[in-house]
Amino acid sequence: MAPANPVQKTSARTLRLPGHDDTLRLGRTLARALAAEAGARTLLLTGGLGAGKTTLVRGLVEALPGGDAAEVSSPSFNICNMYPTRPETAHYDLYRLEQAPGAALAVADDALLDLLETEGPRRALVIVEWAERLPADVLPPDRLELTWLPAKHGRLITAFARGEAARRVLDATAREVADLVTSETAPVTAAETATQAPAARNDQANT
């Protein structure tokens, strides 16, 4: 008999992005992989101010069909921007929301929860910046989590894939940007760990 609460297996890669163009390139590569995989339509981004989250989203959105008509910017003040891509992209930024557990859900409209719960090939692509402010129990089982880590030079990202569809997206992306994949790890302090998504922290403890 299967356990009542089976441990969800994950796949992970660490990527070093030396410059701005590499962040855009990673976004474009993710776009192609996500567009080809209808089962993985949630991308959670965790990192400090100026880490490069919106730059990655810009590269991703502009590479999707219809993305040439999108004006990508951080939706810090209106919480969500919708872009006319195929699939449609919902870009959330939860920076302004309170950090207490559940507070993000109390402020964000129900549209975000509806998008996270929707399944199937017609589902919109959902990208959430400051995703650590969402409780884990509202997140779909298939998702990608990108966490920006402390780095002296450039940017260092750990990408976690949860679920088979997300694994395929991460594998396809890693093959296309193999020169950016690294075995490097960043020193983790209590303060730095606190900025990472809760689910990502759990995986680091179990791997």
Side-chain angles (χ1 to χ4, degrees):
M1 177 181 293
N5 294 300
V7 175
Q8 188 178 33
K9 294 182 180 298
T10 65
S11 178
R13 300 285 195 288
T14 301
L15 302 100
R16 172 164 285 286
L17 308 178
H20 177 86
D21 289 346
D22 300 294
T23 304
L24 290 172
R25 176 186 166 204
L26 177 60
R28 290 192 292 266
T29 306
L30 279 169
R32 292 190 292 270
L34 287 165
E37 187 61 65
R41 290 284 170 82
T42 300
L43 180 61
L44 306 179
L45 309 179
T46 301
L49 288 170
K53 299 185 296 296
T54 302
T55 299
L56 183 136
V57 176
R58 181 175 299 110
L60 192 158
V61 169
E62 291 177 351
L64 289 172
D68 53 344
E71 295 184 8
V72 179
S73 61
S74 177
S76 294
F77 295 101
N78 55 348
I79 299 179
C80 179
N81 289 339
M82 299 295 297
Y83 303 125
T85 55
R86 295 187 300 277
E88 185 178 31
T89 301
H91 178 198
Y92 279 83
D93 186 327
L94 307 184
Y95 174 69
R96 291 195 308 118
L97 304 187
E98 295 181 34
Q99 298 186 47
L105 295 183
V107 179
D109 58 32
D110 291 338
L112 175 55
L113 290 181
D114 291 341
L115 287 168
L116 292 172
E117 292 172 356
T118 302
E119 298 180 354
R122 296 179 61 86
R123 183 181 169 217
L125 174 61
V126 183
I127 303 174
V128 183
E129 297 189 37
W130 298 90
E132 66 271 27
R133 299 188 179 181
L134 286 175
D137 60 1
V138 306
L139 302 178
D142 249 298
R143 62 189 188 269
L144 281 171
E145 300 174 357
L146 270 59
T147 300
W148 274 254
L149 302 174
K152 291 183 178 179
H153 305 288
R155 294 181 171 112
L156 195 63
I157 293 177
T158 297
F160 286 89
R162 301 178 185 279
E164 291 303 320
R167 284 194 197 195
R168 290 192 290 270
V169 169
L170 182 55
D171 288 345
T173 299
R175 285 194 297 270
E176 291 295 318
V177 295
D179 57 307
L180 302 178
V181 178
T182 178
S183 59
E184 182 177 0
T185 58
V188 178
T189 67
E192 291 159 354
T193 302
T195 68
Q196 298 179 27
R201 295 200 298 272
N202 291 339
D203 270 354
Q204 288 177 326
N206 293 328
T207 55

